[in-house]
C-alpha cells in the first residue's frame, strides 16, 4: 500500500522510515512520563524500545494492505506518530486510528489536524466506510480530539486494550461516511461539528470509574 504525505498548515503526516528510529526513540524517552500511562503494552512480555523492529513491523503491515504508519511533523519537526491499523475492505470497510504526540506539541491543534487528515484520506481515497478511535476514560487530551472532530460516541469497552501494564477500559468513538456532508478536516475548521456527538453517557462514565471485577477460581 502506498503511504501518502498529507499536510494542513504546519502539520504534516508522512510515511515512517527506518531512519526515524533514533529520533523516535529519543522522543519516546524524553516524553516517558507524559506517554507512559497511555502506552500500549504486552501482557506477555516487558515493554521495549526497539523502534527499528517496530517500524519494520509497521511497514510490513502496510505492505500487506492492513495499515498506514505515519510520522506526525509540526513545522518540520518530529512531533509523534499516527497509525491507521486493522484496515479491512469488503463488507466491513473500516479501520482504527491510534496516535501519540510529544508533550511540547500538545494543545496546538496538531493531533486533531493529523487525525482529520488521516480520516479524510481513508474515507475519500481508500474508500473506507467507518473509522474508529478508542480512548481510555482518563485520557482527557484524547477525548478533546474526538470532541473537536465530532466522532460519535458508541460505548464502553471493558478491559479492551493492554495499556501501561494492565487491561484497561476504553470509550469507543466512530464516524461513518454518511455522517459527513464535507470532510472531517473541513467540517472542523469551518466550525460545523455537532457539539454533543462525542458526549459519553453518564452511565458509562460511572461504570468506567470502577474496574471490572476479575473472576477468581475458588
Amino acid at each position: 500500500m502506498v503511504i501518502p504525505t498529507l499536510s494542513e498548515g504546519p502539520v504534516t503526516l508522512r510515511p515512517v522510515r527506518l531512519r526515524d528510529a533514533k529520533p523516535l526513540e529519543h522522543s519516546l524517552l524524553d516524553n516517558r512520563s507524559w506517554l507512559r500511562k497511555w502506552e500500549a503494552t504486552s501482557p506477555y512480555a516487558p515493554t521495549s524500545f526497539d523502534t527499528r523492529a517496530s517500524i519494520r513491523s509497521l511497514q510490513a503491515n502496510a505492505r500487506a494492505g492492513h495499515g498506514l504508519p505515519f510520522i506526525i511533523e509540526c513545522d518540520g519537526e518530529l512531533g509523534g506518530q499516527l497509525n491507521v491499523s486493522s484496515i479491512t475492505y469488503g463488507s466491513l470497510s473500516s479501520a482504527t486510528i491510534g496516535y501519540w504526540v510529544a508533550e511540547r506539541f500538545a494543545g496546538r491543534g496538531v493531533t486533531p489536524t493529523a487525525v482529520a487528515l488521516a480520516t479524510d484520506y481513508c474515507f475519500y481515497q481508500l474508500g473506507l466506510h467507518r473509522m474508529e478511535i478508542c480512548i481510555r476514560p482518563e485520557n482527557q487530551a484524547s477525548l478533546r480530539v474526538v470532541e473537536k472532530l465530532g466522532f460519535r460516541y458508541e460505548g464502553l469497552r471493558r478491559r479492551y486494550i493492554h495499556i501501561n501494564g494492565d487491561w484497561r477500559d476504553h470509550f469507543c468513538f466512530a464516524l461513518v461516511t454518511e455522517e459527513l456532508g464535507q470532510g472531517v478536516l473541513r467540517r472542523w475548521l469551518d466550525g460545523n461539528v455537532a457539539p454533543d456527538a462525542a458526549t459519553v453517557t453518564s452511565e458509562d462514565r460511572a461504570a468506567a470509574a470502577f474496574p471490572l471485577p476479575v473472576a477468581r477460581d475458588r
Side-chain angles (χ1 to χ4, degrees):
M1 179 180 293
V2 175
I3 304 169
T5 295
L6 310 168
S7 296
E8 173 65 29
V11 179
T12 296
L13 289 180
R14 64 160 176 82
V16 67
R17 309 177 183 114
L18 277 176
R19 64 175 176 268
D20 294 316
K22 279 296 181 185
L24 278 173
E25 184 175 318
H26 290 155
S27 185
L28 287 166
L29 289 171
D30 288 345
N31 288 272
R32 191 74 175 133
S33 61
W34 165 255
L35 296 172
R36 185 171 192 167
K37 57 184 176 237
W38 319 123
E39 186 177 82
T41 48
S42 169
Y44 312 110
T47 301
S48 71
F49 278 97
D50 191 345
T51 49
R52 288 182 67 84
S54 175
I55 290 170
R56 287 193 181 99
S57 177
L58 290 169
Q59 291 175 331
N61 197 48
R63 286 193 295 272
H66 302 313
L68 293 169
F70 291 105
I71 290 291
I72 302 173
E73 291 183 341
C74 183
D75 289 323
E77 295 184 70
L78 189 150
Q81 284 182 274
L82 182 147
N83 293 315
V84 180
S85 60
S86 303
I87 295 176
T88 306
Y89 295 96
S91 57
L92 190 57
S93 292
S94 73
T96 298
I97 292 180
Y99 49 81
W100 66 266
V101 293
E103 186 174 12
R104 67 194 182 96
F105 293 108
R108 295 169 54 180
V110 174
T111 306
T113 301
V115 171
L117 285 167
T119 302
D120 282 344
Y121 182 82
C122 288
F123 279 155
Y124 301 119
Q125 301 301 317
L126 298 187
L128 299 184
H129 175 252
R130 181 178 183 275
M131 298 296 290
E132 177 179 289
I133 299 176
C134 292
I135 300 169
R136 282 188 61 183
E138 305 88 349
N139 193 340
Q140 293 299 319
S142 274
L143 290 173
R144 285 193 292 273
V145 171
V146 291
E147 289 168 4
K148 288 177 180 179
L149 298 181
F151 274 71
R152 175 178 30 79
Y153 179 63
E154 290 197 330
L156 172 64
R157 295 187 178 179
R158 286 297 208 174
R159 296 178 63 81
Y160 181 54
I161 303 175
H162 203 270
I163 301 285
N164 192 25
D166 201 359
W167 296 104
R168 311 288 183 177
D169 292 349
H170 281 67
F171 292 146
C172 178
F173 303 85
L175 279 176
V176 295
T177 52
E178 289 88 345
E179 295 174 271
L180 299 170
Q182 57 188 146
V184 179
L185 180 65
R186 194 76 264 148
R187 185 176 71 164
W188 171 47
L189 294 179
D190 289 349
N192 293 326
V193 174
D196 57 353
T199 300
V200 178
T201 64
S202 57
E203 292 84 0
D204 285 353
R205 284 195 181 278
F210 296 94
L212 185 70
V214 178
R216 305 292 182 187
D217 291 336
R218 295 184 177 179

